[in-house]
Amino acid sequence: MTDASPPIRRLADWDHDQLLDIAAEYDTPLYVLDPSRVQENYRRFSAAFLDAHVMYAAKAHTGQAVLSALLEAGADIECAAAGELQRAIQAGADPDTLQYTAVNPPDRDLDYAVDLASDHPGFTITAGARDTFDRLESRGYDGRVAIRINPGIGTGHHEKVATGKDAKFGIPYDEVPEVADDVRERFDLVGIHAHAGSGVLHDDLDDHCRAIAKVAEMGREVAGAGEGLEFVDFGGGFGVPYREDEEPLDMDVVGEKVREAVGDLDAQIKLEPGRYVVADAELILTTVNTVKETPAATVVGVDASLATMIRPAMFDSYHPIRNITAPEREDYPVAIGGPCCTSADVFATDRPVARPEREDVLAIGNCGAYGYELANQFHSQPRPAEVAIDGDDVRVVRRRETMADVTRVEDEAEIGSASAESDR
């Protein structure tokens, strides 16, 4: 049975008085992270899959506070880029436990991974293209590898995350046995890997399990044709409810369905939750600066933007929004957007919110997954600070950028250019 922590944290469950104090002290826009919630989510997921090796998919949130909390909870880390490997090691991960899932990896990423493996033979590289295996061999690598396969079934909340049917990801399913024979001759083939999609809830669960069953079947075929496999990695993809009327997954039921889909498998089952672990453990605080009445809509301007969190603009994602300054006010339909000069910079349209007024603080929920990870400097906006809460204690885990940070790489380039000129 899973543990007793609630399966989803809604905006109303956060301490509004504490959030208002935090906004006043640390300014907005601001990310607020609860590392203990990250650990609760990881433990709940792991309890539903006691027979599996659960690795956190770092790409959802690579913040040191998140990675450190998960390592403390006993999690291993799966990384999709060299930078994620470096951040995981910096947070305290043992490189021999890391798994690197390469997707069209740049040369510098492969160089980093191969160099890391030279001192850490337990490190595993997953590749999804024949060409990537050739590039590894050309670097003298002959260590642990897994083959990423494409099951031809994509699932998830948006077509842009349905990786299981996207040709970009993995070896075509019918080609896997042939590729496995070739890979075995050159490397230590320890596993196969697949990831069908992201944000899977009840409606997508059956399709997700069909993809899992297909991957498991290929695992049995590949294992039977050689000396077995150490693991079959089914990726992550399990979602959380972003909308208030959506129900969270019952992880005990999900665990049963996944085990049924896998069937008999003489290899370790691996799973890589990302979104499920971090999504509801973080929110954004933002301050209202403009309220504009128009014939089309009441437009509420805030200091957060698509540079703070791009998911609504990129995926048309829904995030709950709550006026924590005055939640008792009557709900009123508003459009909420930021200061960027594009119509995409909108967090909500025609959304009932306790009627906002200038200087009110709004909370945007479920921002832990791919929130700060996709933050950017559009319009030369410095990226926001991030604080972590531990009961009544609050600490800055990522300081707010300044304009000097935004221009530093250019300033340093000019300094470097001037130094080179003076050396001539």
Side-chain angles (χ1 to χ4, degrees):
M1 293 294 291
T2 55
D3 66 23
S5 66
I8 187 66
R9 174 183 280 182
R10 309 286 187 181
L11 272 180
D13 298 329
W14 293 75
D15 184 332
H16 289 17
D17 290 338
Q18 182 185 34
L19 292 176
L20 289 171
D21 289 343
I22 290 172
E25 181 170 356
Y26 297 98
D27 202 5
T28 61
L30 181 70
Y31 276 85
V32 181
L33 170 73
D34 184 351
S36 65
R37 180 64 184 175
V38 172
Q39 294 177 328
E40 288 175 9
N41 290 339
Y42 168 76
R43 289 176 180 133
R44 186 187 320 103
F45 188 96
S46 297
F49 296 99
L50 292 174
D51 52 349
H53 180 191
V54 178
M55 308 182 74
Y56 168 65
K59 62 181 176 291
H61 194 313
T62 57
Q64 293 292 287
V66 168
L67 296 179
S68 297
L70 285 163
L71 290 169
E72 182 181 313
D76 286 331
I77 310 294
E78 179 271 337
C79 302
E84 292 178 9
L85 290 170
Q86 185 172 348
R87 289 173 74 85
I89 293 168
Q90 184 179 350
D94 178 355
D96 280 299
T97 67
L98 294 175
Q99 186 166 312
Y100 167 47
T101 308
V103 180
N104 299 334
D107 284 344
R108 58 183 174 273
D109 279 35
L110 280 188
D111 291 340
Y112 181 93
V114 169
D115 184 60
L116 185 64
S118 65
D119 294 323
H120 300 281
F123 176 64
T124 305
I125 299 177
T126 302
R130 296 173 190 249
D131 196 41
T132 304
F133 287 113
D134 293 341
R135 294 166 66 202
L136 285 169
E137 185 181 36
S138 72
R139 287 164 167 77
Y141 183 75
D142 60 1
R144 291 168 56 87
V145 298
I147 300 172
R148 180 165 184 170
I149 74 175
N150 187 314
I153 300 172
T155 57
H157 70 92
H158 194 279
E159 61 181 10
K160 292 181 180 178
V161 300
T163 54
K165 62 180 180 181
D166 189 330
K168 176 181 177 180
F169 300 96
I171 302 290
Y173 192 83
D174 293 341
E175 299 177 18
V176 173
E178 176 190 343
V179 172
D181 289 341
D182 172 62
V183 168
R184 274 199 179 96
E185 294 181 1
R186 298 188 283 165
F187 308 94
D188 180 14
L189 177 60
V190 295
I192 64 170
H193 170 282
H195 177 71
S198 182
V200 172
L201 285 175
H202 307 279
D203 292 345
D204 292 313
L205 192 55
D206 287 344
D207 283 343
H208 198 69
C209 286
R210 280 200 304 114
I212 285 174
K214 196 171 180 182
V215 175
E217 181 58 35
M218 182 58 71
R220 284 185 283 271
E221 180 175 348
V222 171
E227 299 178 357
L229 290 173
E230 179 183 311
F231 66 83
V232 176
D233 188 337
F234 298 97
F238 301 101
V240 299
Y242 284 78
R243 295 181 181 272
E244 294 87 346
D245 59 352
E246 290 177 328
E247 290 299 318
L249 291 170
D250 182 328
M251 291 312 299
D252 291 322
V253 172
V254 172
E256 292 173 3
K257 287 192 171 185
V258 169
R259 282 186 286 274
E260 181 181 345
V262 171
D264 294 330
L265 186 63
D266 188 18
Q268 176 71 66
I269 296 171
K270 281 194 177 185
L271 295 168
E272 302 169 1
R275 183 189 309 274
Y276 184 88
V277 174
V278 294
D280 73 347
E282 189 160 43
L283 53 72
I284 293 171
L285 298 179
T286 183
T287 301
V288 175
N289 55 51
T290 305
V291 178
K292 179 171 66 173
E293 301 284 353
T294 77
T298 297
V299 179
V300 175
V302 296
D303 58 4
S305 71
L306 62 77
T308 312
M309 183 179 67
I310 202 171
R311 292 193 72 252
M314 187 173 183
F315 299 116
D316 195 27
S317 300
Y318 179 100
H319 284 262
I321 300 175
R322 187 176 177 89
N323 184 341
I324 62 171
T325 297
E328 74 282 353
R329 290 190 200 137
E330 184 178 357
D331 284 352
Y332 190 78
V334 295
I336 301 173
C340 292
C341 189
T342 168
S343 298
D345 186 24
V346 175
F347 292 108
T349 58
D350 198 27
R351 178 80 64 83
V353 176
R355 187 163 189 150
E357 298 178 1
R358 195 187 312 155
E359 304 304 327
D360 284 353
V361 177
L362 308 184
I364 305 174
N366 281 5
C367 298
Y370 310 100
Y372 208 109
E373 205 62 27
L374 292 172
N376 59 84
Q377 295 175 336
F378 183 49
H379 276 337
S380 292
Q381 295 183 81
R383 281 173 288 209
E386 182 180 29
V387 300
I389 58 174
D390 180 9
D392 293 331
D393 295 329
V394 181
R395 59 190 172 95
V396 177
V397 294
R398 197 166 347 208
R399 69 167 174 82
R400 188 177 303 280
E401 288 183 344
T402 65
M403 278 305 301
D405 293 316
V406 174
T407 60
R408 179 168 289 118
V409 290
E410 295 167 281
D411 296 339
E412 290 174 352
E414 291 177 5
I415 293 170
S417 177
S419 298
E421 184 69 27
S422 66
D423 289 340
R424 291 178 183 174

